[in-house]
Amino acid sequence: MALSDLKYRLLLSIMVGALFSAGVILLWYTNEQEQRNSRAKTVQDTGQLIKQQFQNRVLESVKTLQNLKSRIEVTDGGYFDYWEFDASLTIEQDPAFLLVEWIDSDMVVRRIEPVKGNENAIGLDISELDYRRSDWESARDDSVINLTHWLKLVQGPNAFLVDAPVYYEDEFKGSITAALNFKERFDTIMQGLDQYYVKLQDEFGKIFYEFDRQQQYSENGSFQSTIDFDPAQIKTGNWSITVISSHSSASNNAQSGLIMNLILGLILSLVAGFLMFYVLTANEARINAKSANQKIRALIENSPMAIYSINRNGVITDFWNEAAEKLLGWKKEEVLGRFLPHISKETKAEFDKLMEQREVEGNIKNKEVVRTRKDGKKMYLRLNVGQMVTDSDNEKQMLVTLEDITREKEYQQRLENSLNEKEVLLSEVHHRVKNNLAIITGLIELQKAGIRDKGLNEILKETQNRIHSIASVHELLYNSDSFTEVSFEEYGEKLIGRIRDMFTSSDQKVQIIHQFDTKEVNINQAIPLGLLLNELITNSFKHAFVGREEGIIHINVTEKDGVVEVKYKDDGVGFDAPKFEESNTLGVTLIKTLIGQLDAEFEIDAIDKFQLKLRFRKNEKGAHSGL
């Protein structure tokens, strides 16, 4: 009996031990899989955030280059001579910029900043470079900023080249091209993430960025994705990003602990030991999961960008970081479990439409929206929405990032509404235009000296007078505080004096009585109005007083409620009014064209005299003037 009891107890012990051993093995395997999945999930979430940060840094640098291009285009090339100054400031402020160069429409590098160290690139014809020609021509033809693949520059270093085509005066002028290397900006993002290895490759598989490649890495904790850009903003190939978790000491110790617990459980095969092992192992797994979750939360909480999570109904479910509190004004405890507080009744329909768009497209990228802070202030924001997780109730959760672009919008608005900040630039432009027109009149004067034909000399003299009329506007603008408007009283008196001097050799005594009661006039109207008066006065001197020794010309320019009225009259012989409409002489053609440029209503009375009345609405300075 004793032997039988022993055998029974032994058999029972073996069976119990085997049963618990099987349970230990099963629980160990399950726990190990949970840890692998937890590490993989952490890497996936971290990789997504790193990808978003990298993409934002690239777009910021490209936006800086686009602003430089816009300043040249909005001034019709006037800002071109000063772009090196902005380029040097950009290089100092944005570490991604290695150089900025100007490539003309013939595909030749004409200017470069900084010059030192890049002398070899000046004069380079990129049409002879197979790896550059097609990309640059594509940017030119599509009028879209082009980002090349990772390539080696003529100067030596490797970089991305960003081509921003420049158009003004309805034609292509060339491109502002920058060489960009994002290593320093990406390294800033990766601070505090030493437990990850990151690799970026361009569309041809060239590695252009690596972080922490000296460590060894696990196989199950990796994140791979592509970084693609909106083709309407940037034309480039997709980049690939790889984020891999490293073999940290914590993960190695956790793995060793699991194996040791397995060995102890198999050896002891005791219920108490097994339960203790299970409790300790499960507790360690929970600690590791909590630690990983805390790291993710720390990354989100310390991010300079506003980040929060919502469900498909716009209810805030979890994250609402400190940056979101500062940006929008609401504390985390005020918003958790509530609908987004910065979505007003006016923007609710827009929000619903965005959610529908996200359901179809999967993500929302770089969407510009207007939202209201807690204090009622309106803000311009750049919105990104990506799928994050699905909770236990199969409720889709979305991670939302907001970036404040109010200052960018205000700067853009100021640039569109006013060019006062460019007074020095515009002063130089008007000065150069005046000087160039003076050179042209000088050349005509030299040409006149060699021509004996009196009629041809008269034509050249009239051409000089028209050029003087344009040059006077730019002279007044150069010497005034405003660079878009001129005092028409001063301009008109100079115009009349010049024409009177032109006909001083005539035997006629013509009196010009004038009155200018209008305020300053925009350059886009001052020039055609001045040229119109020039043609009218000249025609009166030449044709109105034939056979007479005296004549009178009356000129009145008045302004009321933004409408300018011009009355021109002489007491000459007059002419048949229908002939004015039918005439195709240069003088009459110019008068018709200039009236059309002013968009003016006019009346002509040419019986026994000549009288022209016209009215046009005065343009305001700024965007309405076309400047």
Side-chain angles (χ1 to χ4, degrees):
M1 180 64 69
L3 183 60
S4 299
D5 291 341
L6 179 61
K7 290 181 179 180
Y8 175 77
R9 290 192 299 269
L10 181 59
L11 180 59
L12 183 59
S13 298
I14 293 173
M15 291 177 62
V16 171
L19 179 61
F20 280 107
S21 295
V24 168
I25 294 172
L26 180 60
L27 288 173
W28 174 84
Y29 178 80
T30 302
N31 196 38
E32 199 271 346
Q33 289 299 314
E34 287 181 354
Q35 287 203 11
R36 283 179 176 271
N37 293 337
S38 178
R39 288 198 298 270
K41 179 63 171 58
T42 300
V43 174
Q44 288 291 319
D45 292 344
T46 304
Q48 187 67 39
L49 289 174
I50 293 173
K51 168 189 170 181
Q52 186 66 54
Q53 293 282 356
F54 282 4
Q55 188 178 46
N56 289 341
R57 293 300 183 271
V58 174
L59 291 175
E60 287 175 3
S61 297
V62 172
K63 182 68 174 179
T64 299
L65 184 66
Q66 191 174 26
N67 288 339
L68 180 58
K69 151 195 157 75
S70 298
R71 284 193 284 275
I72 294 177
E73 289 181 337
V74 79
T75 58
D76 283 344
Y79 195 72
F80 178 76
D81 290 337
Y82 293 87
W83 72 271
E84 291 97 339
F85 176 74
D86 265 7
S88 62
L89 287 180
T90 298
I91 293 171
E92 292 177 5
Q93 296 172 1
D94 190 339
F97 279 77
L98 302 181
L99 59 89
V100 181
E101 59 188 11
W102 171 255
I103 303 175
D104 67 14
S105 58
D106 293 327
M107 301 177 72
V108 177
V109 179
R110 295 300 184 187
R111 299 186 181 184
I112 196 164
E113 180 66 30
V115 177
K116 185 176 181 181
N118 297 303
E119 296 85 355
N120 294 338
I122 298 177
L124 176 66
D125 186 350
I126 67 171
S127 66
E128 299 178 358
L129 305 177
D130 293 338
Y131 64 91
R132 281 285 289 132
R133 182 174 58 253
S134 60
D135 288 341
W136 192 89
E137 289 176 341
S138 177
R140 175 197 64 193
D141 296 339
D142 298 338
S143 187
V144 176
I145 291 179
N146 179 69
L147 180 65
T148 69
H149 60 278
W150 185 249
L151 50 80
K152 187 174 181 61
L153 304 181
V154 174
Q155 300 92 315
N158 288 70
F160 291 98
L161 291 178
V162 182
D163 300 310
V166 176
Y167 288 82
Y168 58 87
E169 297 178 347
D170 294 328
E171 65 179 283
F172 174 70
K173 298 297 183 178
S175 73
I176 297 293
T177 298
L180 302 179
N181 187 326
F182 302 101
K183 183 180 187 308
E184 186 172 341
R185 300 202 75 179
F186 289 174
D187 284 345
T188 302
I189 296 173
M190 293 304 300
Q191 289 181 2
L193 297 174
D194 297 332
Q195 69 273 31
Y196 294 101
Y197 163 73
V198 177
K199 177 176 69 175
L200 286 174
Q201 295 172 278
D202 66 8
E203 63 266 34
F204 296 108
K206 292 184 180 179
I207 298 175
F208 62 90
Y209 179 75
E210 282 188 287
F211 178 80
D212 212 6
R213 61 181 176 181
Q214 290 79 13
Q215 294 193 34
Q216 296 182 349
Y217 303 94
S218 60
E219 297 178 356
N220 63 329
S222 64
F223 167 83
Q224 289 186 332
S225 182
T226 59
I227 298 178
D228 54 351
F229 301 92
D230 184 357
Q233 294 180 321
I234 308 172
K235 186 174 183 180
T236 184
N238 292 339
W239 296 351
S240 62
I241 179 172
T242 302
V243 180
I244 303 176
S245 174
S246 65
H247 277 302
S248 64
S249 59
S251 62
N252 289 335
N253 292 337
Q255 188 70 20
S256 299
L258 286 174
I259 295 174
M260 182 60 66
N261 287 330
L262 173 63
I263 295 173
L264 291 175
L266 293 175
I267 293 175
L268 298 175
S269 298
L270 299 174
V271 174
F274 166 73
L275 291 176
M276 183 63 66
F277 167 76
Y278 175 79
V279 170
L280 292 175
T281 303
N283 185 57
E284 184 178 359
R286 286 194 297 271
I287 292 174
N288 288 339
K290 182 179 179 181
S291 176
N293 187 48
Q294 288 175 341
K295 289 180 180 179
I296 295 175
R297 289 181 174 275
L299 180 63
I300 292 176
E301 287 297 329
N302 294 320
S303 172
M305 186 176 295
I307 301 174
Y308 55 84
S309 62
I310 59 173
N311 62 19
R312 69 178 68 189
N313 297 319
V315 176
I316 301 164
T317 57
D318 190 2
F319 299 114
W320 183 273
N321 68 353
E322 185 177 348
E325 293 182 354
K326 292 180 179 178
L327 180 65
L328 301 173
W330 285 275
K331 297 293 184 180
K332 183 176 182 179
E333 54 269 23
E334 295 179 285
V335 299
L336 280 182
R338 293 178 51 198
F339 180 78
L340 292 167
H342 51 283
I343 302 296
S344 62
K345 293 181 180 179
E346 293 78 11
T347 57
K348 180 61 167 60
E350 178 194 8
F351 170 81
D352 293 338
K353 186 175 181 180
L354 285 173
M355 290 299 98
E356 294 175 1
Q357 175 186 341
R358 196 211 64 79
E359 287 289 337
V360 175
E361 300 178 3
N363 294 305
I364 298 173
K365 298 180 180 180
N366 300 318
K367 176 70 176 179
E368 294 184 2
V369 297
V370 178
R371 296 291 183 259
T372 305
R373 280 175 48 89
K374 185 178 181 180
D375 57 10
K377 180 182 177 182
K378 298 288 186 181
M379 303 181 67
Y380 288 93
L381 303 171
R382 184 176 289 118
L383 170 71
N384 287 275
V385 181
Q387 186 71 32
M388 188 175 67
V389 295
T390 301
D391 63 17
S392 57
D393 296 326
N394 293 322
E395 179 70 31
K396 291 184 178 180
Q397 304 293 309
M398 291 163 282
L399 192 67
V400 182
T401 62
L402 291 178
E403 182 181 3
D404 186 3
I405 59 171
T406 304
R407 293 188 64 183
E408 292 180 22
K409 285 293 183 181
E410 290 175 349
Y411 176 75
Q412 180 182 353
Q413 192 65 36
R414 289 198 306 269
L415 193 61
E416 292 173 353
N417 294 337
S418 174
L419 295 179
N420 291 334
E421 299 175 3
K422 306 297 182 261
E423 290 180 352
V424 175
L425 169 64
L426 291 178
S427 173
E428 182 64 19
V429 169
H430 291 307
H431 180 58
R432 292 190 181 189
V433 170
K434 177 184 73 70
N435 288 346
N436 289 337
L437 292 174
I439 292 172
I440 294 173
T441 57
L443 292 173
I444 294 175
E445 187 66 34
L446 292 175
Q447 189 68 37
K448 284 168 54 182
I451 296 176
R452 297 181 180 180
D453 188 317
K454 184 177 180 181
L456 186 55
N457 263 290
E458 287 297 322
I459 292 173
L460 292 176
K461 183 183 292 186
E462 291 178 13
T463 301
Q464 281 182 304
N465 211 39
R466 294 181 182 117
I467 295 173
H468 276 301
S469 298
I470 299 174
S472 295
V473 174
H474 291 280
E475 181 179 8
L476 289 173
L477 289 172
Y478 174 65
N479 293 318
S480 69
D481 294 331
S482 172
F483 298 100
T484 59
E485 296 186 336
V486 296
S487 169
F488 197 81
E489 180 178 7
E490 182 179 359
Y491 174 50
E493 289 176 352
K494 287 186 176 182
L495 182 67
I496 291 171
R498 184 182 302 107
I499 298 174
R500 184 186 284 115
D501 292 342
M502 175 182 173
F503 291 96
T504 52
S505 61
S506 174
D507 295 333
Q508 296 173 336
K509 295 181 181 179
V510 178
Q511 183 180 7
I512 300 177
I513 302 173
H514 63 272
Q515 181 179 0
F516 300 111
D517 292 331
T518 184
K519 299 177 182 178
E520 292 184 337
V521 179
N522 186 273
I523 180 176
N524 284 357
Q525 293 179 318
I527 290 178
L529 182 56
L531 287 172
L532 178 61
L533 292 178
N534 178 81
E535 293 302 317
L536 292 172
I537 299 171
T538 301
N539 284 344
S540 293
F541 269 99
K542 291 174 62 177
H543 306 296
F545 312 114
V546 176
R548 295 171 50 182
E549 295 183 356
E550 296 182 352
I552 300 176
I553 297 174
H554 292 272
I555 303 173
N556 288 299
V557 181
T558 59
E559 176 190 348
K560 183 178 181 181
D561 298 330
V563 176
V564 178
E565 184 173 88
V566 180
K567 294 181 181 179
Y568 180 89
K569 180 175 66 175
D570 66 42
D571 62 347
V573 295
F575 65 89
D576 189 1
K579 290 183 179 180
F580 176 82
E581 298 294 337
E582 299 172 0
S583 176
N584 58 1
T585 62
L586 177 60
V588 174
T589 300
L590 278 175
I591 291 173
K592 294 177 182 177
T593 301
L594 293 168
I595 291 175
Q597 288 182 6
L598 291 169
D599 195 19
E601 301 174 354
F602 69 96
E603 300 175 4
I604 292 180
D605 183 0
I607 300 176
D608 298 328
K609 63 182 180 300
F610 176 79
Q611 179 172 301
L612 172 65
K613 296 181 181 180
L614 60 92
R615 290 162 52 88
F616 61 90
R617 180 160 293 280
K618 181 179 177 183
N619 282 350
E620 300 296 333
K621 68 179 181 178
H624 299 289
S625 71
L627 292 178

